[in-house]
Amino acid sequence: MPIVVVVGGQWGDEGKGRIVDLLARKAKVVARYSAGNNAGHTIVNERGEFKLHLVPAGIFYPEKTCVIGNGVAIDPEVLLEEIDNLEAKGVSTARLVVSDRAQLIMPWHKLIDQLDEKLRGDAAIGTTGKGVGPCFADKVARRGIRVADLLRTDEFAERIKTVLEFENRVITGVYGGDPIDFRDCLETYREFGRRLHPYVTDTQAVVLDAHQRGEYVLLEGAQGSLLDLDHGTYPYVTSSVPSSTSGGAAIGIGIGPTDIQRVVGVFKSYCTRVGNGSFPTELEGEIANRLRDHGKEYGRGEYGTTTGRPRRIGWLDAVAARYSVRFNGLSAVALTRLDVLDGLESIKICTGYELDGKIVNTVPASLSVLDRCKPIYEELPGWRKPTTEVRNFDDLPEQAQAFVRRVEVLLGCPVDLISVGPSREQAVIVNPIF
Ligand code: GDP
Ligand code: IMO
Ligand code: MG
């Protein structure tokens, strides 16, 4: 049975949580493979509205096993709070398992994230400030602390003592900050360890065993491909190792690339970005405000799930999207928030960039070059009828069908799923993904 990856195709917040919640119906295991609680995945289903940062979106189905894989950076405080909130709302976390190989976000990571942004001044990345970048930097520097360490009480104390000596030198010497107290940190994390212990296991085996038994497995990406360290708009990217692209899914769970059968890329029908960095199709003014504030009265506008920051808005960038389709090896696109375009007189799609009088068809590596790229737009007629109640492709307004068909051609990938609202049932399944 297939292992399917769900990956964000743009700059994050494409609606991955919503798509995973829908596709999880058929899966037996749903596993998060990268990032940390910089991610915020919104799920609206019969149990209400939830904003998940670490727990996979399969948690709402009682019979699914939900995995937080080795590739995830875990802030135990955030995870425990998320577990408590879910349980308080009647959602059982009994089938949640956490990898013993996952990295831990420690107090110094959060502090360094904030101090580092301050030090960068005007060149700040616009991080979520959750310590995710410094945690992955320490993972690569072989200074990370893992969930397995947390469970070995004596070794844990030794380990954080050594690491904290180094981190405090950085905090005070490089950033001029206040050092972190070893005892406080030790006691707090010992308590986290005690509470997390029952969830911790070898999650690689959980996924591979399910796969071998012939069960469906869904791998949930976080963030977006254009925030990837290698292929994104570096340095205005996130620091996830493994990458938040489909390529990171195998590493972040501990399976082989040949175990993955399908990759679904989630794209909004337009673009958003939180934080700083290039955004060729960025819009300001009336249309941007209209798209940002769609559903705002229900708390569903384009404002960050994790930080509440207003998201930057732009037309769909088919150049960047096609680039993302190619390096993710996508089998299908899930197009979300089509309903947000309802009622617009016309809709633009960027089909190429103009640079010094020439047409560019892919995303240049250099940000100064990308910043000089001017989008070339194709304008399509909008539609007047609402799409939120539509469940069949043929029932979509003609212009909406034409928009979707044009997106398929420009991206070079079939649109198998269209989302027309935040709730589970507000979807048009063009071709079944599982
Ligand atoms: P994620 O990080 O990729 O899971 O996306 P977020 O949850 O951060 O942001 C997506 C937002 O769009 C959430 O508020 C979702 O509830 C909402 N959403 C998802 N799909 C649709 C859709 O088709 N229509 C509308 N109106 N909202 C949607
Ligand atoms: P989901 O999973 C949107 C962005 C931040 C910032 C950059 C680096 O909800 O799609 P970081 O804190 O990761 O060091 O910040 O990456 N970013 C996201 N933007 N959605 C996300 O996750 C993001 N995760 C990180 O806004 O620009
Ligand atoms: Mg999000």
Side-chain angles (χ1 to χ4, degrees):
M1 290 294 164
I3 296 189
V4 174
V5 177
V6 174
V7 65
Q10 296 158 314
W11 283 283
D13 303 325
E14 300 90 348
K16 297 173 293 293
R18 181 260 181 282
I19 296 297
V20 169
D21 174 68
L22 177 69
L23 297 180
R25 245 191 322 217
K26 280 252 178 106
K28 183 71 186 161
V29 177
V30 183
R32 251 288 291 274
Y33 64 83
S34 73
N37 57 299
N38 44 358
H41 297 177
T42 315
I43 289 97
V44 183
N45 55 32
E46 76 283 355
R47 288 164 175 265
E49 176 163 334
F50 298 84
K51 293 184 187 301
L52 299 178
H53 301 286
L54 288 163
V55 173
I59 199 74
F60 304 100
Y61 299 86
E63 74 284 11
K64 317 287 178 202
T65 300
C66 285
V67 174
I68 298 182
N70 57 275
V72 179
I74 298 175
D75 182 332
E77 188 177 4
V78 173
L79 177 56
L80 288 166
E81 203 180 298
E82 203 160 295
I83 289 172
D84 288 345
N85 285 340
L86 285 165
E87 292 282 349
K89 289 182 179 165
V91 181
S92 168
T93 56
R95 298 186 75 94
L96 175 70
V97 287
V98 175
S99 170
D100 47 7
R101 286 182 160 83
Q103 297 280 324
L104 289 173
I105 294 182
M106 303 298 292
W108 50 87
H109 294 136
K110 291 184 256 193
L111 182 58
I112 290 175
D113 197 352
Q114 281 149 25
L115 292 170
D116 192 64
E117 282 285 270
K118 223 182 267 169
L119 192 67
R120 284 174 193 255
D122 287 346
I125 306 295
T127 72
T128 57
K130 306 292 181 190
V132 178
C135 176
F136 283 119
D138 273 352
K139 172 181 182 178
V140 176
R142 296 163 292 190
R143 228 182 341 262
I145 304 211
R146 305 205 293 181
V147 169
D149 302 326
L150 186 61
L151 304 186
R152 305 180 72 82
T153 323
D154 294 339
E155 289 168 35
F156 181 68
E158 269 311 300
R159 179 112 179 94
I160 66 167
K161 194 164 194 192
T162 318
V163 172
L164 188 52
E165 244 168 60
F166 172 87
E167 305 284 355
N168 273 339
R169 278 207 213 180
V170 173
I171 290 167
T172 55
V174 176
Y175 297 109
D178 295 329
I180 284 171
D181 184 72
F182 166 70
R183 280 272 143 221
D184 275 359
C185 174
L186 182 65
E187 273 161 38
T188 311
Y189 272 68
R190 274 192 173 151
E191 176 57 17
F192 291 154
R194 197 189 56 72
R195 287 205 53 208
L196 276 183
H197 202 154
Y199 295 97
V200 178
T201 191
D202 172 4
T203 54
Q204 178 198 39
V206 172
V207 173
L208 282 175
D209 291 350
H211 185 44
Q212 262 162 19
R213 282 196 301 270
E215 290 163 350
Y216 288 98
V217 175
L218 198 54
L219 304 187
E220 175 178 341
Q223 313 169 327
S225 300
L226 301 173
L227 290 170
D228 172 58
L229 271 171
D230 284 87
H231 305 290
T233 45
Y234 191 88
Y236 293 94
V237 293
T238 188
S239 300
S240 264
V241 183
S243 157
S244 45
T245 65
S246 63
I251 299 165
I253 294 296
I255 60 174
T258 52
D259 291 324
I260 296 169
Q261 276 76 42
R262 302 205 76 198
V263 183
V264 180
V266 187
F267 291 79
K268 271 182 192 168
S269 304
Y270 49 98
C271 280
T272 61
R273 178 165 196 171
V274 212
N276 303 325
S278 304
F279 189 178
T281 63
E282 185 165 14
L283 284 169
E284 269 162 29
E286 198 196 316
I287 293 182
N289 294 338
R290 176 174 170 167
L291 298 180
R292 183 180 300 109
D293 289 342
H294 180 100
K296 194 181 175 190
E297 60 275 33
Y298 312 106
R300 290 189 188 143
E302 290 285 13
Y303 294 85
T305 311
T306 301
T307 58
R309 293 178 288 179
R311 294 174 181 153
R312 298 158 68 195
I313 309 275
W315 292 118
L316 182 67
D317 183 340
V319 180
R322 188 166 53 233
Y323 167 65
S324 170
V325 165
R326 281 160 63 95
F327 71 69
N328 276 303
L330 294 191
S331 350
V333 163
L335 193 65
T336 62
R337 297 183 68 98
L338 186 73
D339 57 297
V340 176
L341 301 181
D342 291 354
L344 288 181
E345 205 159 295
S346 69
I347 295 155
K348 289 185 183 171
I349 306 180
C350 166
T351 56
Y353 301 145
E354 194 231 292
L355 178 69
D356 303 331
K358 294 199 180 97
I359 294 176
V360 174
N361 285 313
T362 191
V363 178
S366 159
L367 282 204
S368 62
V369 177
L370 182 57
D371 283 338
R372 286 196 294 116
C373 283
K374 303 232 171 352
I376 301 166
Y377 287 117
E378 185 174 299
E379 198 159 351
L380 278 73
W383 51 92
R384 292 287 169 193
K385 280 188 274 171
T387 56
T388 48
E389 301 303 321
V390 175
R391 302 292 176 264
N392 295 303
F393 187 80
D394 294 341
D395 296 335
L396 282 171
E398 208 180 291
Q399 298 86 343
Q401 293 187 23
F403 174 79
V404 174
R405 291 299 181 214
R406 189 67 187 134
V407 168
E408 283 187 319
V409 170
L410 289 169
L411 269 58
C413 188
V415 173
D416 281 357
L417 186 54
I418 302 164
S419 173
V420 290
S423 303
R424 189 180 283 171
E425 70 284 355
Q426 289 181 295
V428 173
I429 296 171
V430 185
N431 288 304
I433 283 169
F434 265 134

